[in-house]
Amino acid sequence: MIKPAPSMSLIFSGTTTIASLAGLVYVALYPELPHALLLTGLFSLLLVSALGSYFAFQHAIRNEIGKPIDNLLKKNSSSDSSPRQMMTEETRIPQIKKLLAAYDTIHRELHETKALLDNNSMSDSITGLPSRSLFKDRLQSVITEYQRNRKNFSLLCVDINRFKEINDSLGQDIGDTILHDVSKRLSNLLRDMDTIARLGDDEFAIILKDTDIEGASNVAEKILVNFGMPFFVENHQLLVGPSIGIAEFPLHANSGSKLLQKANYALNIAKNNHLGFACYDESKIHDQVIDISLASELRDAINGNNLQLFYQPKFSLTASKVVEVEALLRWIHPDRGFIPPDQIINVAESSGLIHPLTEWVARTAIQQQKHWEEKGVDLGVAINLSVYNLQNPHLISIIQFIMSECETNPERLILEITEGAMMRNPEQAKEILSTLDKMNIKIAIDDFGTGYSSLAYLKNLPVDELKIDRSFVMNLKDDDNDLAIVRSTIDLAHNLDLSVVAEGVENQESWDKLHALGCDLIQGYYLSKPLPAEEFINWYHSYNEGNKQSA
Ligand code: C2E
Ligand code: CA
Ligand code: CA
C-alpha cells in the first residue's frame, strides 16, 4: 500500500493559521500595544505563509501528483522506446487532461454496461417477454394514461395448470420450451396494442387496452379454446390447460398492485373451481373465507372420523332384487348442521383434502361391504371419485391396499366417475381405468348426459355401467323428450355392452317406463332415500321380506 507523503501545502497552511491565531491572541493579551505595529507583524506573517503555500503546492505537483502519473504513463507506454524524460509542467497538464478523458470514457462505458444489464433483467430470458419489474412499470404508465383519458382496460393473470408436474416429470428443458411456446401462442392471440409479460414460473400477465370484463372474458375463452390443442415438444404431445383471472381498471382497483392482487384472486377462484377463467367478484370473497375455515374443520372431521356414509340401494330389474348400494357422503357440522355433499367435495377439491377424504370414503365403504358380506348380505358397493382422484398417482395403490386390508372381492367394488371427469383428461382417465379394469373393479360413468362425451368415445374406455343423470329421469312420466333421450341412451349403451342405471326414479310410472325400455338398474327415492348403514340394513331385510310375500 502506498502511504501518501505529508503535503507541504498542509504544513504551510497550518503555519498561516497558527500565525493568524497567535496574532489574535497577542491583540487579546496586549490591547495597549500600537495597532500599526501589530498589523505589520501580522501582514508579514501572512506573506511568509502564502509564499510557503505556493512552494508547497509546486512540490506536491512534482512529487505527490506527478509521480503516480509518471508511473502510470511509464507502465502504459511500453511501445515508447525512448528514455523517458522527467516531465515539465507544460507536458504534465495535457497528460492530466488525457487521464481525465480516459477516466470519463471508462465511466461512460461502465454506465452503458450497467444500463444494458438493467435492460436484460427487464426481459425474461426464456420467453423474451417483459419481466415482472418492467411489467409493473408498463402497468403504471397505462394506468396514468387511462386515468387521464378516463378509459378502462382489463388485466388478465394466466397460470398454467400442473406446470410443476410437467417440469418434474419431463425435465426443465421441456418445461422451458413449453413456457416459450405458451408465450408465443398467447402473443399470437393478442393485438399489437396489448401487453404480455411473464411474471415468474408459469405466471403470465396481459393488459388488454380499452377492454371491459366482457371483452376480456371473450379473449379468455379464445385462449382456452386455443389451448385445447396439444403442444408438441420433442416426442411429447402435451395438453397444457391455463387458468385465467380477470380484473378491470378502474372498476375493481385503481392502482397497479391492487389490480394485480384482484386478478390473482380471480385466478385462484378459476383454479380451485376448474372454471377455466373467472372475473373478480367482490360478492364472492365472503364465500371464499368461509371455505377456508370449512376446509380446516373438514380436515379435523376426516381425522376424527366424524363423517358418515349413507347408502342408497340400486335395484336390478333383471334379477328383481337389490344388488348394489351407492355410498354417499354426509357431514353434520356441529354448528352449521347438514352440509350438502357437493359443497363438501368443492371444499375438499380446492384444499387438497379430496385425497384423504376419498381414502376415508373408500375404506369405510369397503369395510361396510365386508361386514355385510360376513353377515350373509352380498351387495356391491359404489363410491364416487372426483376428477382430482384421477390425477392422483397413488389412487390405484391406495385402493389395492384397502382391498387387501379388508380381503374384499374387487368385483364387489364399483367406482363412479362423472362423464365430465373422464373427459377432462381422456388419456389419463383411460390409463387409470384400464388398470382398475385389470384389477376386476367395476367402473360406472356417472351423471351421463350432462357432459359432452359421445358414446362412440366411451366405447374406447373400459367401463361397465352407465348411469343416466337424474335430470332426464325425474320427469320421465311427463316429458316425452326425456323419454326419447333415455330410450336412445339405453339402446346405445346396450350396443356397447354396458349395463344402464337410471338414477332419480321417484315414482311408479317412471319405474314402469324404464322397465319397459329395458333399463337394467333403478336407483331413486321411490325405492329408498340414502340411509345410514344400520337403517339401510333394516330397510333391506324388510324390503326383501315384503318382496317375498308379494311374489
Ligand atoms: P351423485 O353421485 O349423482 O349421487 C346421487 C345423488 O342423487 C345423491 O345426492 C342422492 O341423494 C340423489 N338422489 C338419489 N335418488 C334421488 C331421487 O330420486 N331424486 C332426487 N332428487 N335425488 C336423488 P347427494 O347425496 O346429495 O350427493 C350429491 C352429489 O355429491 C353426488 O351426486 C356426488 O356427485 C357427490 N358425492 C356424494 N358423496 C360423494 C363422495 O363420497 N365422493 C365424491 N367425490 N362425491 C360425492
Ligand atoms: Ca354417483
Ligand atoms: Ca349421479
Side-chain angles (χ1 to χ4, degrees):
M1 210 155 98
I2 303 165
K3 264 193 182 168
S7 161
M8 292 300 280
S9 64
L10 257 177
I11 295 169
F12 275 88
S13 340
T15 319
T16 315
T17 317
I18 291 164
S20 315
L21 277 173
L24 288 173
V25 171
Y26 195 83
V27 172
L29 289 177
Y30 305 102
E32 67 280 10
L33 275 184
H35 281 187
L37 183 70
L38 182 71
L39 284 174
T40 313
L42 268 178
F43 180 75
S44 39
L45 257 173
L46 273 172
L47 193 68
V48 170
S49 303
L51 277 172
S53 293
Y54 172 76
F55 287 119
F57 180 68
Q58 289 294 318
H59 177 90
I61 286 279
R62 197 169 300 120
N63 295 315
E64 292 168 33
I65 301 173
K67 248 188 214 153
I69 294 172
D70 287 344
N71 289 342
L72 260 177
L73 290 172
K74 199 171 165 185
K75 272 186 198 145
N76 288 329
S77 61
S78 51
S79 59
D80 182 6
S81 54
S82 64
R84 213 183 57 75
Q85 308 259 309
M86 251 327 258
M87 287 189 172
T88 64
E89 261 69 51
E90 289 82 2
T91 54
R92 251 175 239 287
I93 302 300
Q95 289 302 345
I96 291 173
K97 277 188 180 162
K98 256 193 204 169
L99 262 180
L100 285 174
Y103 170 75
D104 273 348
T105 312
I106 292 168
H107 187 258
R108 197 180 57 248
E109 278 174 4
L110 270 174
H111 194 75
E112 281 167 3
T113 312
K114 185 180 174 296
L116 194 71
L117 281 172
D118 284 348
N119 189 39
N120 277 348
S121 72
M122 287 288 180
S123 73
D124 162 50
S125 59
I126 295 173
T127 61
L129 295 177
S131 64
R132 181 181 281 271
S133 54
L134 182 55
F135 180 76
K136 281 188 173 168
D137 291 350
R138 296 235 173 123
L139 181 59
Q140 190 46 54
S141 37
V142 176
I143 285 179
T144 314
E145 181 195 335
Y146 276 59
Q147 241 154 7
R148 200 175 333 111
N149 300 336
R150 295 174 174 277
K151 291 201 292 182
N152 54 353
F153 71 86
S154 288
L155 175 68
L156 269 63
C157 282
V158 184
D159 191 286
I160 307 303
N161 304 334
R162 298 170 38 238
F163 179 72
K164 196 179 169 302
E165 275 172 48
I166 296 179
N167 237 1
D168 290 350
S169 55
L170 300 175
Q172 204 166 344
D173 285 350
I174 289 188
D176 287 356
T177 311
I178 296 257
L179 286 176
H180 177 265
D181 294 356
V182 162
S183 78
K184 279 278 157 310
R185 271 206 201 176
L186 288 174
S187 307
N188 287 341
L189 290 168
L190 304 175
R191 302 161 301 176
D192 287 346
M193 68 198 278
D194 302 323
T195 299
I196 171 163
R198 182 176 166 225
L199 301 189
D201 298 334
D202 55 344
E203 258 180 86
F204 295 85
I206 298 169
I207 299 171
L208 296 174
K209 287 188 168 176
D210 304 343
T211 310
D212 60 10
I213 280 282
E214 212 182 312
S217 304
N218 290 338
V219 175
E221 263 167 17
K222 227 165 59 175
I223 294 174
L224 292 170
V225 168
N226 184 288
F227 278 63
M229 290 180 294
F231 285 78
F232 295 92
V233 184
E234 293 182 3
N235 295 325
H236 305 280
Q237 185 181 332
L238 299 161
L239 267 177
V240 175
S243 295
I244 304 168
I246 305 171
E248 186 187 322
F249 172 89
L251 178 69
H252 296 133
N254 52 15
S255 80
S257 57
K258 283 257 158 61
L259 198 64
L260 261 172
Q261 190 190 337
K262 307 240 155 135
N264 265 317
Y265 187 87
L267 172 67
N268 280 334
I269 298 205
K271 259 199 143 137
N272 293 341
N273 300 293
H274 322 294
L275 297 175
F277 77 91
C279 301
Y280 179 75
D281 183 350
E282 202 82 43
S283 65
K284 296 235 171 85
I285 290 177
H286 184 62
D287 298 351
Q288 279 263 317
V289 175
I290 289 179
D291 279 3
I292 292 167
S293 75
L294 203 58
S296 85
E297 288 164 338
L298 178 60
R299 178 178 286 111
D300 294 344
I302 299 169
N303 294 337
N305 214 15
N306 292 326
L307 302 170
Q308 247 187 307
L309 285 184
F310 276 30
Y311 298 90
Q312 188 178 33
K314 292 184 189 175
F315 183 87
S316 162
L317 288 168
T318 37
S320 278
K321 60 174 183 177
V322 172
V323 288
E324 289 171 9
V325 290
E326 177 175 3
L328 292 156
L329 186 63
R330 294 291 179 264
W331 182 21
I332 311 296
H333 188 281
D335 308 320
R336 298 181 208 188
F338 173 79
I339 299 183
D342 297 302
Q343 194 187 339
I344 307 171
I345 299 305
N346 256 338
V347 170
E349 285 179 340
S350 58
S351 57
L353 287 171
I354 191 66
H355 304 299
L357 177 63
T358 306
E359 189 175 338
W360 180 88
V361 169
R363 179 170 280 110
T364 311
I366 292 171
Q367 281 173 348
Q368 187 62 68
Q369 191 277 335
K370 189 73 194 169
H371 179 72
W372 286 331
E373 194 184 284
E374 283 165 358
K375 300 215 154 171
V377 176
D378 184 19
L379 288 170
V381 66
I383 63 166
N384 291 281
L385 292 189
S386 138
V387 60
Y388 282 90
N389 294 131
L390 295 185
Q391 292 164 8
N392 181 1
H394 307 298
L395 175 74
I396 306 273
S397 52
I398 289 171
I399 290 178
Q400 245 165 351
F401 181 74
I402 299 172
M403 283 195 321
S404 67
E405 233 179 22
C406 301
E407 297 173 350
T408 1
N409 175 0
E411 284 171 21
R412 308 316 279 143
L413 179 65
I414 303 118
L415 300 179
E416 297 193 3
I417 302 164
T418 62
E419 187 191 0
M422 289 201 191
M423 293 306 292
R424 192 174 291 269
N425 190 340
E427 284 308 306
Q428 191 181 38
K430 194 174 173 181
E431 210 181 302
I432 292 194
L433 299 190
S434 303
T435 314
L436 291 167
D437 183 52
K438 282 187 199 123
M439 290 159 65
N440 282 330
I441 292 171
K442 268 171 82 180
I443 313 281
I445 304 170
D446 207 355
D447 301 350
F448 186 78
T450 55
Y452 306 104
S453 57
S454 67
L455 278 175
Y457 163 74
L458 297 173
K459 193 174 75 177
N460 297 318
L461 297 175
V463 282
D464 306 276
E465 195 176 275
L466 183 147
K467 298 187 79 177
I468 305 177
D469 189 67
R470 61 179 184 268
S471 58
F472 300 101
V473 177
M474 275 156 57
N475 301 321
L476 210 54
K477 84 178 163 73
D478 305 314
D479 193 321
D480 286 348
N481 283 338
D482 283 352
L483 187 67
I485 293 170
V486 170
R487 176 186 287 121
S488 61
T489 307
I490 292 174
D491 289 347
L492 280 165
H494 282 165
N495 280 338
L496 297 172
D497 252 355
L498 301 174
S499 64
V500 181
V501 183
E503 48 180 24
V505 179
E506 294 189 345
N507 48 57
Q508 184 68 49
E509 288 93 326
S510 301
W511 181 294
D512 291 342
K513 282 188 175 172
L514 288 160
H515 200 176
L517 293 173
C519 184
D520 304 282
L521 295 133
I522 298 274
Q523 181 181 353
Y525 292 170
Y526 184 63
L527 183 64
S528 165
K529 286 197 168 189
L531 298 168
E534 283 290 296
E535 267 179 61
F536 168 77
I537 210 67
N538 294 339
W539 172 89
Y540 175 80
H541 288 310
S542 59
Y543 185 80
N544 283 348
E545 277 304 309
N547 253 9
K548 245 189 254 163
Q549 278 162 16
S550 63

